[in-house]
């Protein structure tokens, strides 16, 4: 069915642009090009893919022509002068072009658009790549470690509240570098720094060697021959049953995976999937399982070797069985049916179709799904639709707001829903407190105002707002102390009730994949008297990150400069927002896809 839609899409575009002759002399459908074994790895929509075909030309044919025509400059011509290449081949390009792209074990067809902006990005990336190196002298590595430490101490927010002894860790790393008799491998250094960054606990911060490309590394494509899902805080091994269209256990007698190559699932997550090491328990385990499914890639990221045959210990909690299996080049990662449904809803919303977003459930209960934290300026009509829907729900028995699998985004929805969720008796409502690493104490910072966060002296606040801020800050105490001289004055999010607040119970349904702005939404309303949080602890995290590159290695650092607190004083990072009604994903939902969490919540509401 997907192929039919794609063909229809191609036909439609042929009328409006696909067949239009490109007028630009310098243009590209990609934003960057890398090379592995003389084959192009292209960046399309911020993802890297192996290029298999461009229009009617295979990548192999294009490369062969470039090598013959342009000699030792063939890579430069392909990357930066693609229009010239295609004209020389007798096939001047149209504005749009079919691209066949491959990533790991899957491939897809997309429509690329030739633009000058894309070509300029390709050129800039190529220039930057000229300076990328794989190893460097120990002295340069030492300098980069010092630069990393300075960046943490001068910019990082969470470095101020961590218990982790990063100075000792960096001292130990310098000792390793000094003791090395060989040039320092940049992949190794990036990995060591990434582990230190993960220990600090800020999920919007990261370390990456952008020159590390997995394509061409055979073992990086190896994946488990089954899917993994979290059930009762354990890892279950599942197979997709094609004829029955649901999941089943790989070994029904021994459903849980206990160890892989002698290491427990928990230890594998802690040692290899360290990016989420400080995430709340459920989120850490769920994200860790997704990385373990791609075991080859996980080992590649950790600079580790992996044999294709692995030894697994399965268990039922009482007895175990040991099995040897081969890893495979096939992507069969577990995918929640609910996540697929919400993804389709999100796609429809972004295309202006809101019909699957909200409905009335049995018992006259209003339901609205928020699969992403949308920016109203990006989706025409969404704000009006939410207003009309919530007004139509004013006579319902209860309201459910579904934020499961919501990865975050902007904060427009927080401000919009506040008008309906906050009782007039609690308005103005201070929903979030944050501090920015800066010497400008009382300035209004754009990176904060974009998050609806302002200092008390901001012109956006009236006298009533300021009184509410004073009362709140007088009683507010962060669970962890920090040196406030290194931060701005507190920035607060103040929300207000509207003309027609919703007066019945509100239930915000979340899970371990409710992240960033979605968890800010959750925590913002969590302590209101008419609101209850339901489901599983959110993934937390609320950052404000900037990017720098270390001087010698060009390792990319993303460092978050904001401390973000919930009303109870706990940080969003590492804590998330806990539910008042705990409803984990049950077995039937995992295997068969039926939304048992929602059904259980409906029973609770209707029983009341």
């Amino acid at each position: 069915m997907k192929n039919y839609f794609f063909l229809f899409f191609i036909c439609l575009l042929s009328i409006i642009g696909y067949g239009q002759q490109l007028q630009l002399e310098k243009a590209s459908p990609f934003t960057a090009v890398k090379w592995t074994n003389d084959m192009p790895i292209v960046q399309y929509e911020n993802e890297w893919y192996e290029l298999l075909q461009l229009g009617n030309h295979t990548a192999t044919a294009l490369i062969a022509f470039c090598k013959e025509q342009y000699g030792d400059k063939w890579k430069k011509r392909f990357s930066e002068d693609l229009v010239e290449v295609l004209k020389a081949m007798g096939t001047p390009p149209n504005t749009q072009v079919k691209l066949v792209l491959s990533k790991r074990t899957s491939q897809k067809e997309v429509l690329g658009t030739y633009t000058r902006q894309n070509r300029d990005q390709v050129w800039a990336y190529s220039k930057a790549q000229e300076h990328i190196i794989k190893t460097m002298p120990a002295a340069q590595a030492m300098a980069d470690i010092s630069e990393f430490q300075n960046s943490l101490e001068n910019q990082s927010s969470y470095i101020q509240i961590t218990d982790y002894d990063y100075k000792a860790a960096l001292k130990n790393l310098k000792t390793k570098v000094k003791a090395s008799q060989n040039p320092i491998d940049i992949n190794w250094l990036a990995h060591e720094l990434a582990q230190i960054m993960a220990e600090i606990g800020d999920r919007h911060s990261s370390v990456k060697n952008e020159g590390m490309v997995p394509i061409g590394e055979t073992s990086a494509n190896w994946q488990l021959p089954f899917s993994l899902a979290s059930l009762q805080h354990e890892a279950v091994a599942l197979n997709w049953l094609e004829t029955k269209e649901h999941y089943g256990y790989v070994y029904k007698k021994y459903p849980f995976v206990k160890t892989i190559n002698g290491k427990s699932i928990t230890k594998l997550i802690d040692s290899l999937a360290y990016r989420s090491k400080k995430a709340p328990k459920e989120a850490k385990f769920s994200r860790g399982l997704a990385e373990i499914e791609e075991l080859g890639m996980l080992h590649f990221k950790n600079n580790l070797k992996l044999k294709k045959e692995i030894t697994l210990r399965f268990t039922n909690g009482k007895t175990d069985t040991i099995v040897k299996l081969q890893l495979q080049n096939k992507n069969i990662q577990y995918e929640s049916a609910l996540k697929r449904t919400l993804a389709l809803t999100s796609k429809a919303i972004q295309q202006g179709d809101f019909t699957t977003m909200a409905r009335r459930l049995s018992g006259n209960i209003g339901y609205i799904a928020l699969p992403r934290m949308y920016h109203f300026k990006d989706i025409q009509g969404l704000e009006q639709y939410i207003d009309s829907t919530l007004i139509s729900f004013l006579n319902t028995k209860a309201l459910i707001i579904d934020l499961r699998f919501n990865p975050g985004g902007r904060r427009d929805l927080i401000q919009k829903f506040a008008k309906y969720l906050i009782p007039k008796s609690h308005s103005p409502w201070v929903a979030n407190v944050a501090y920015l690493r800066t010497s400008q104490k009382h300035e209004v910072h754009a990176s904060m105002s974009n998050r609806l966060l302002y200092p008390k002296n901001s012109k956006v606040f009236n006298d009533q707002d300021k009184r509410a801020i004073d009362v709140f800050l007088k009683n507010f105490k962060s669970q962890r102390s920090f040196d406030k001289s290194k931060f701005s004055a507190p920035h607060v999010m103040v929300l207000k009730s509207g003309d027609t607040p919703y007066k019945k119970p509100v239930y915000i349904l979340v899970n371990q994949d409710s992240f960033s702005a979605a968890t800010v939404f959750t925590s913002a309303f969590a302590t209101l008297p008419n609101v209850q949080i339901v489901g599983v602890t959110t993934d937390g995290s609320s950052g404000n990150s900037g990017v720098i590159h270390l001087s010698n290695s060009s390792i990319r650092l993303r460092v978050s400069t904001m401390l973000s607190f919930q009303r109870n004083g706990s940080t969003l990072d590492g804590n998330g927002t806990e539910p008042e009604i705990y409803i984990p994903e049950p077995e039937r939902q995992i295997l068969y896809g039926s939304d048992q969490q929602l059904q259980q919540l409906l029973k609770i509401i209707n029983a009341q």
Side-chain angles (χ1 to χ4, degrees):
M1 184 62 71
K2 290 181 180 178
N3 290 334
Y4 291 122
F5 282 120
F6 182 77
L7 290 172
F8 172 76
F9 191 44
I10 290 285
C11 293
L12 179 63
L13 282 175
S14 69
I15 300 171
I16 60 174
Y18 185 61
Q20 292 180 353
Q21 190 77 40
L22 179 68
Q23 300 301 315
L24 297 171
E25 292 296 323
K26 299 285 187 181
S28 176
F30 323 121
T31 52
V33 180
K34 294 180 180 181
W35 298 92
T36 298
N37 298 326
D38 284 354
M39 292 304 293
I41 312 303
V42 300
Q43 189 179 62
Y44 177 80
E45 293 186 345
N46 296 317
E47 294 286 339
W48 289 100
Y49 300 93
E50 182 178 358
L51 177 66
L52 300 182
Q53 187 170 333
L54 183 145
N56 294 324
H57 299 293
T58 65
T60 303
L62 280 167
I63 297 309
F65 178 84
C66 288
K67 285 182 176 180
E68 182 179 352
Q69 190 79 5
Y70 304 112
D72 59 3
K73 292 185 177 181
W74 67 271
K75 286 184 178 179
K76 179 179 176 65
R77 289 287 177 261
F78 177 90
S79 300
E80 301 173 23
D81 303 307
L82 189 55
V83 175
E84 179 184 326
V85 170
L86 292 170
K87 286 181 177 179
M89 296 179 76
T91 55
N94 296 320
T95 302
Q96 289 158 321
V97 61
K98 181 184 76 173
L99 304 174
V100 181
L101 307 173
S102 173
K103 188 172 186 180
R104 299 178 194 168
T105 57
S106 62
Q107 72 177 53
K108 65 178 182 178
E109 292 184 359
V110 299
L111 280 166
T113 301
Y114 285 94
T115 69
R116 178 59 188 253
Q117 184 181 16
N118 284 350
R119 187 268 176 188
D120 289 346
Q121 289 187 57
V122 169
W123 181 87
Y125 181 82
S126 296
K127 287 298 180 186
Q129 289 293 295
E130 292 175 4
H131 303 290
I132 286 182
I133 53 175
K134 293 184 178 180
T135 63
M136 61 184 178
Q140 291 185 355
M142 294 287 283
D144 274 9
I145 295 170
S146 295
E147 186 179 359
F148 174 81
Q149 181 168 345
N150 288 336
S151 296
L152 290 181
E153 293 176 346
N154 294 323
Q155 298 180 49
S156 171
S157 52
Y158 278 76
I159 202 74
Q160 291 289 317
I161 60 172
T162 183
D163 292 329
Y164 175 62
D165 191 348
Y166 70 93
K167 290 183 179 179
L170 289 171
K171 184 178 180 180
N172 183 51
L173 179 56
K174 285 185 175 181
T175 300
K176 291 180 183 178
V177 170
K178 284 181 181 178
S180 176
Q181 301 298 312
N182 300 312
I184 304 303
D185 183 279
I186 293 174
N187 284 341
W188 174 83
L189 180 60
H191 174 256
E192 294 294 315
L193 295 177
Q195 287 186 303
I196 292 170
M197 185 72 87
E199 290 285 356
I200 293 168
D202 177 9
R203 308 275 306 293
H204 276 75
S205 295
S206 62
V207 177
K208 184 178 182 181
N209 176 19
E210 294 176 315
M212 191 176 185
V213 183
I215 298 175
E217 294 285 342
T218 304
S219 63
N221 295 326
W222 293 347
Q223 304 195 29
L224 293 181
F226 51 79
S227 304
L228 285 177
S230 175
L231 177 63
Q232 300 167 9
H233 306 297
E234 299 288 344
V236 288
L238 305 175
N239 279 331
W240 176 252
L241 306 177
E242 195 71 41
T243 57
K244 298 182 178 180
E245 295 189 341
H246 65 74
Y247 284 98
Y249 292 114
V250 174
Y251 298 109
K252 194 168 185 179
K253 188 177 179 181
Y254 304 98
F256 301 105
V257 182
K258 191 172 183 179
T259 66
I260 299 177
N261 288 339
K263 275 195 172 183
S264 71
I265 295 295
T266 301
K267 285 185 178 179
L268 275 173
I269 292 173
D270 279 340
S271 61
L272 301 184
Y274 51 80
R275 176 75 190 274
S276 299
K277 191 168 187 177
K278 299 296 183 178
K281 181 179 177 181
E282 289 90 346
K284 174 183 174 180
F285 194 67
S286 178
R287 288 181 178 270
L289 291 185
E291 292 200 60
I292 290 173
E293 285 179 311
E294 296 184 299
L295 198 62
M297 179 58 63
L298 190 58
H299 279 69
F300 174 80
K301 288 178 179 178
N302 284 273
N303 301 307
L304 298 173
K305 299 295 183 183
L306 180 66
K307 292 181 179 180
K308 197 162 189 179
E309 184 179 82
I310 58 173
T311 302
L312 301 109
R313 183 183 292 272
F314 293 88
T315 185
N316 55 23
K318 296 180 180 179
T319 58
D320 301 349
T321 185
I322 296 176
V323 179
K324 291 184 181 293
L325 294 173
Q326 295 284 317
L327 295 171
Q328 61 180 28
N329 292 346
K330 185 179 179 183
N331 185 0
I332 54 171
Q333 284 189 290
Y334 175 77
E335 186 178 25
S336 161
L338 173 63
K339 185 176 181 179
R340 287 197 303 271
T341 299
L342 290 170
L344 290 173
T345 298
S346 182
K347 185 176 181 180
I349 291 169
Q350 291 177 74
Q351 294 173 346
D353 178 4
F354 312 130
T355 54
T356 60
M357 190 176 178
R359 59 189 185 273
R360 285 182 187 243
L361 304 176
S362 61
N364 191 29
I365 296 168
Y367 170 89
I368 185 165
L370 304 178
R372 295 190 71 88
M373 298 298 290
Y374 302 105
H375 188 25
F376 287 141
K377 289 183 179 179
D378 295 335
I379 305 174
Q380 187 175 2
L382 178 59
E383 182 175 10
Q384 293 77 10
Y385 174 80
I386 290 175
D387 276 324
S388 62
T389 298
L390 293 179
I391 289 172
S392 73
F393 282 166
L394 289 176
N395 64 347
T396 55
K397 178 180 179 178
L399 174 63
I400 297 172
I401 303 169
D402 194 345
L403 290 173
R404 290 174 296 176
F405 296 105
N406 185 319
R410 301 293 289 266
R411 299 191 178 189
D412 301 37
L413 291 171
I414 300 176
Q415 198 167 39
K416 173 58 62 179
F417 274 78
K419 295 179 180 180
Y420 297 93
L421 302 191
I422 296 176
K424 288 189 177 296
S425 59
H426 288 67
S427 181
W429 177 255
V430 179
N432 181 207
V433 184
Y435 295 80
L436 185 70
R437 280 296 300 265
T438 179
S439 58
Q440 297 174 313
K441 286 288 182 183
H442 300 284
E443 296 296 319
V444 176
H445 300 275
S447 64
M448 300 292 270
S449 59
N450 286 340
R451 293 166 170 79
L452 307 182
L453 293 163
Y454 300 89
K456 177 190 165 184
N457 66 349
S458 170
K459 293 180 180 178
V460 302
F461 297 136
N462 59 30
D463 289 342
Q464 186 182 19
D465 298 333
K466 291 177 181 179
R467 285 194 294 271
I469 293 169
D470 283 337
V471 171
F472 179 82
L473 291 179
K474 182 179 179 180
N475 298 304
F476 175 78
K477 184 177 181 182
S478 61
Q479 290 183 357
R480 288 179 174 271
S481 59
F482 57 96
D483 185 355
K484 292 184 179 178
S485 68
K486 298 182 183 298
F487 290 84
S488 68
H491 283 55
V492 294
M493 181 196 298
V494 176
L495 303 174
K496 300 179 184 181
S497 179
D499 295 331
T500 53
Y502 186 80
K503 297 181 179 180
K504 306 293 177 58
V506 176
Y507 300 85
I508 300 177
L509 184 55
V510 293
N511 69 357
Q512 69 280 354
D513 287 292
S514 304
F515 186 66
S516 195
T519 202
V520 177
F521 183 110
T522 308
S523 67
F525 303 117
T527 55
L528 286 168
N530 53 323
V531 174
Q532 285 188 287
I533 310 304
V534 184
V536 176
T537 301
T538 64
D539 196 2
S541 193
S542 176
N544 182 358
S545 56
V547 173
I548 64 170
H549 289 82
L550 297 181
S551 300
N552 298 304
S553 62
S554 293
I555 290 172
R556 188 210 71 193
L557 305 184
R558 188 177 292 278
V559 181
S560 185
T561 57
M562 180 177 72
L563 278 178
S564 185
F565 293 97
Q566 303 181 69
R567 283 176 56 87
N568 64 5
S570 67
T571 57
L572 284 157
D573 259 298
N575 295 297
T577 303
E578 295 182 4
E580 295 155 281
I581 303 174
Y582 178 62
I583 305 179
E585 195 173 14
E587 179 187 51
R588 186 169 182 80
Q589 184 167 322
I590 291 170
L591 296 181
Y592 300 102
S594 58
D595 193 349
Q596 298 295 301
Q597 288 175 302
L598 180 59
Q599 294 304 315
Q600 191 171 337
L601 175 56
L602 288 175
K603 288 181 181 179
I604 292 171
I605 296 171
N606 285 320
Q608 294 174 347

